[in-house]
Amino acid sequence: MTPFCAVVDWGTTSFRLWVLCADGTVLAERTSHEGMLQAGSNGFQATLEAHLVALEVDAGVPVVICGMAGSRQGWREARYVETPVDVRAIVDCAVPVPAAGREIRILPGIAQRDPAEPEVLRGEETQLLGIIDALPADALVCLPGTHSKWIELVDGKVARFSTYLSGELYALLLNHSILRLAIDESARVSPQVPEFLDAVTTAIANPAQIANQLFSIRSSQLLGYSDRNGAAAALSGSVIGLELAGVMSRHGPLADVHLVAKGELAEPYKCALKAAGASVHLHDADTAVRKGLLFAASTFWPVEEGRQRRHAHPG
Amino acid sequence: MTPFCAVVDWGTTSFRLWVLCADGTVLAERTSHEGMLQAGSNGFQATLEAHLVALEVDAGVPVVICGMAGSRQGWREARYVETPVDVRAIVDCAVPVPAAGREIRILPGIAQRDPAEPEVLRGEETQLLGIIDALPADALVCLPGTHSKWIELVDGKVARFSTYLSGELYALLLNHSILRLAIDESARVSPQVPEFLDAVTTAIANPAQIANQLFSIRSSQLLGYSDRNGAAAALSGSVIGLELAGVMSRHGPLADVHLVAKGELAEPYKCALKAAGASVHLHDADTAVRKGLLFAASTFWPVEEGRQRRHAHPG
């Protein structure tokens, strides 16, 4: 099958590329750690082209990119669109990368210019674009990660959003704090162990005590009340519970939550959200971002034009 | 003047030694980074003796130690005494270090053996011992640090205590998180800048939002609402405010608080506590631990006996 476009989710520390047919069929896929930080040294164009050459994608195939490649420290700045905004507007505000040897466009992020609650996101807007047709006009969308984003849709528009640095907090505490002595390096978080939901509900019930709750993961081991097996789950549950406490302090009790997550985050968040009383609608994050990027590509290069372009540049 | 004893506050990453007269006069002082972790490799006895030799302290001078040197991973385990306990009991439960070539005793920490709120401390008990005569029988004592301890005295006894990993959280976020991009390396926290108390009161008012409040230090800069100058103060205020929110969720509104702190922590905690409505009574942490150790030494070796001992071992 003929490639229609290549799409890239280019984060701070990760790079993910798919080569797609016009109907969304995935022809090829590449992932690497060449995120913005590394590509900033090696060159964004060189990084991108190396992957495309490896997949034998010719110069007539255009590329759409979302994420940190569009930040000020990235390849080419794609300025934030501003709330309230229909997420489809990011397509209109995409920025072309000139003289790249092929058609390339970078999608912008979204900013909430409120001095009391300043917020920015890049990448999550494209995941949202990918599922927007499946969402009701009013919805609460949770996109967990290093910096978890919670987006409030009102009348089909991104009305407000907020960020919780839960994933970063988890990683810092796991790898660098006193809690590393309490947790096996090989630990994987299982939301099935009781320590996970215990920690979620404790953090929701009393988020003010989080700095004490976290320390108790260590002290309960020192005094023989717990072992190392449940410690990673207790840490994860504490951090996710704190995030949910924050969301509930803003939105009140949780009802329907659209969870856009991939593999290892989907299950813990789903369990925690259910424990907090939410009805969870799960969307795969990779599928979502790919669909969002394809939607943008189809708008930029309507399929007929796309075909002509490739005929004109056989590569 | 003749040295009566040497006393050591031996933490996880720090070593502090004073040579004292019987009346508490400081004859000499040494500080280094040879905490438990480093001394564990180099040898506790070799580390201690190197400092004593450098100060020409002869083998007839006894030594009292508090802190992590008494932990299971330390020099010799001094098992926790348990709450509720008169802090003076730590003197009775000190552990001698045999065959060390001089008289050495290590003071124990305190444990709260409550599965719902397991707690341990080592080192802070000796600071408390140093100020116990200046405290009312019922008091709330705050000992800020990497792991801040809050001790509740009831009828003159340590009834309960709790730990908040505030200092560790601050250091991790400052040095390893996205916030490092928002904060100058040379930043020193000044509680005088408005960002400090703003962050304290915000965290106290809504601790559930702390993971969002922390991220906003970065996003408010990205959107031009704040600059780097106040960012370290905002981070410090957020973390201290969260700790105070935790304490108030446990104890209710703050009244008299005995703050046992040294230099750079004293001022921020004092300002934050006042903003939270507390009446602050400040005690210097170094003086407190030295007095606690001297009290122990004076009990182990009543001054007359101490003098005889030194005559018997001219060194």
Side-chain angles (χ1 to χ4, degrees):
Chain A
M1 287 198 283
T2 326
F4 163 60
C5 66
V7 299
V8 180
D9 181 5
W10 209 326
T12 303
T13 58
S14 67
F15 172 94
R16 185 145 194 184
L17 176 148
W18 294 272
V19 181
L20 302 177
C21 292
D23 67 357
T25 305
V26 177
L27 296 175
E29 185 175 343
R30 306 270 290 185
T31 54
S32 86
H33 295 294
E34 296 157 303
M36 176 185 73
L37 299 177
Q38 195 174 326
S41 324
N42 301 354
F44 286 91
Q45 186 166 349
T47 302
L48 174 64
E49 287 298 331
H51 286 284
L52 292 173
V53 165
L55 296 174
E56 300 181 357
V57 175
D58 75 45
V61 176
V63 177
V64 183
I65 299 169
C66 71
M68 295 304 288
S71 71
R72 207 173 301 163
Q73 293 80 33
W75 190 356
R76 191 173 176 84
E77 186 176 5
R79 286 173 176 251
Y80 299 113
V81 299
E82 298 186 15
T83 57
V85 67
D86 184 327
V87 71
R88 297 172 188 87
I90 62 171
V91 178
D92 307 325
C93 298
V95 168
V97 181
R102 74 170 74 233
E103 285 244 44
I104 297 177
R105 300 210 191 170
I106 303 183
L107 298 176
I110 305 180
Q112 177 171 298
R113 292 195 188 274
D114 173 350
E117 293 179 15
E119 289 286 355
V120 292
L121 57 74
R122 275 194 192 277
E124 293 86 357
E125 73 296 324
T126 307
Q127 294 180 41
L128 181 65
L129 179 63
I131 62 164
I132 194 74
D133 290 340
L135 297 179
D138 297 324
L140 186 58
V141 185
C142 166
L143 305 107
T146 305
H147 301 146
S148 292
K149 305 287 179 183
W150 284 75
I151 300 176
E152 199 181 347
L153 280 186
V154 176
D155 288 340
K157 289 187 172 181
V158 175
R160 299 192 70 73
F161 61 97
S162 47
T163 308
Y164 299 84
L165 39 60
S166 308
E168 185 150 39
L169 210 50
Y170 175 78
L172 289 176
L173 291 165
L174 178 71
N175 297 315
H176 297 289
S177 82
I178 183 85
L179 300 187
R180 74 188 186 283
L181 305 177
I183 297 174
D184 284 320
E185 268 182 53
S186 60
R188 276 189 57 91
V189 172
S190 163
Q192 261 62 56
V193 302
E195 287 87 344
F196 178 78
L197 281 185
D198 284 354
V200 168
T201 51
T202 300
I204 288 175
N206 196 353
Q209 284 290 353
I210 191 71
N212 177 247
Q213 182 181 342
L214 290 167
F215 185 78
S216 74
I217 294 171
R218 170 73 173 155
S219 49
S220 69
Q221 281 185 18
L222 284 175
L223 296 180
Y225 297 129
S226 66
D227 57 29
R228 296 163 66 91
N229 292 333
L235 173 56
S236 171
S238 301
V239 169
I240 295 175
L242 177 67
E243 178 179 328
L244 299 189
V247 172
M248 287 189 277
S249 83
R250 188 182 294 271
H251 295 285
L254 296 175
D256 288 289
V257 173
H258 290 268
L259 174 62
V260 188
K262 52 180 125 186
E264 62 178 21
L265 283 181
E267 202 55 30
Y269 268 84
K270 198 170 130 189
C271 291
L273 281 163
K274 283 184 174 173
S279 300
V280 182
H281 308 269
L282 183 61
H283 308 259
D284 178 67
D286 283 337
T287 309
V289 78
R290 214 166 60 222
K291 282 182 71 173
L293 287 159
L294 178 65
F295 175 85
S298 306
T299 309
F300 300 144
W301 308 292
V303 171
E304 280 314 302
E305 194 198 328
R307 284 204 179 121
Q308 283 165 7
R309 185 189 317 275
R310 279 199 303 282
H311 284 274
H313 298 80
Chain B
M1 288 198 285
T2 326
F4 164 59
C5 66
V7 299
V8 180
D9 181 5
W10 211 326
T12 303
T13 58
S14 67
F15 173 94
R16 187 146 192 184
L17 177 148
W18 294 272
V19 181
L20 302 177
C21 292
D23 67 357
T25 305
V26 176
L27 296 175
E29 186 176 344
R30 305 270 290 185
T31 54
S32 86
H33 296 295
E34 296 158 303
M36 176 187 72
L37 298 179
Q38 196 173 327
S41 324
N42 302 354
F44 285 91
Q45 185 166 348
T47 302
L48 174 64
E49 287 298 331
H51 286 283
L52 292 172
V53 164
L55 296 174
E56 300 180 359
V57 175
D58 75 45
V61 177
V63 177
V64 184
I65 299 169
C66 71
M68 294 304 287
S71 70
R72 205 172 303 164
Q73 294 80 33
W75 189 355
R76 190 173 177 84
E77 186 177 6
R79 287 175 175 250
Y80 299 114
V81 298
E82 298 185 16
T83 56
V85 66
D86 184 328
V87 71
R88 296 171 189 88
I90 62 170
V91 178
D92 306 325
C93 299
V95 168
V97 181
R102 72 170 74 232
E103 284 244 44
I104 297 176
R105 301 209 191 169
I106 303 182
L107 298 176
I110 305 180
Q112 177 171 298
R113 292 195 187 272
D114 173 351
E117 293 180 16
E119 288 286 356
V120 291
L121 57 74
R122 276 194 191 276
E124 293 86 357
E125 73 295 325
T126 308
Q127 295 179 40
L128 181 66
L129 180 62
I131 62 163
I132 194 75
D133 290 340
L135 297 180
D138 297 323
L140 186 58
V141 185
C142 166
L143 304 108
T146 305
H147 301 146
S148 292
K149 304 288 179 182
W150 285 75
I151 300 176
E152 199 181 348
L153 280 186
V154 176
D155 288 339
K157 289 187 172 182
V158 175
R160 300 191 70 75
F161 61 98
S162 47
T163 308
Y164 299 84
L165 39 61
S166 308
E168 186 152 39
L169 210 50
Y170 175 78
L172 289 177
L173 292 165
L174 179 70
N175 297 315
H176 298 288
S177 81
I178 182 86
L179 300 186
R180 74 187 187 284
L181 304 177
I183 297 174
D184 283 321
E185 269 184 51
S186 61
R188 276 189 56 89
V189 172
S190 163
Q192 261 61 58
V193 302
E195 286 87 345
F196 178 78
L197 282 185
D198 284 354
V200 168
T201 51
T202 300
I204 289 175
N206 196 353
Q209 284 291 353
I210 190 70
N212 176 247
Q213 182 181 341
L214 291 167
F215 185 78
S216 74
I217 295 172
R218 170 73 173 156
S219 50
S220 70
Q221 281 184 19
L222 284 175
L223 296 180
Y225 296 129
S226 67
D227 57 29
R228 296 163 67 91
N229 293 331
L235 172 55
S236 171
S238 301
V239 169
I240 295 175
L242 177 66
E243 178 178 329
L244 299 189
V247 172
M248 286 189 279
S249 84
R250 188 182 296 271
H251 296 285
L254 296 174
D256 288 288
V257 173
H258 291 268
L259 173 63
V260 188
K262 52 180 126 184
E264 62 178 22
L265 283 181
E267 202 55 29
Y269 269 84
K270 199 171 131 187
C271 292
L273 281 163
K274 283 185 174 172
S279 300
V280 182
H281 308 270
L282 183 62
H283 307 261
D284 178 68
D286 283 337
T287 309
V289 78
R290 215 166 59 222
K291 284 182 70 172
L293 288 160
L294 178 65
F295 175 86
S298 306
T299 308
F300 299 145
W301 308 292
V303 173
E304 282 311 305
E305 194 200 326
R307 281 203 182 122
Q308 284 165 6
R309 184 188 318 275
R310 279 197 304 282
H311 283 274
H313 298 79

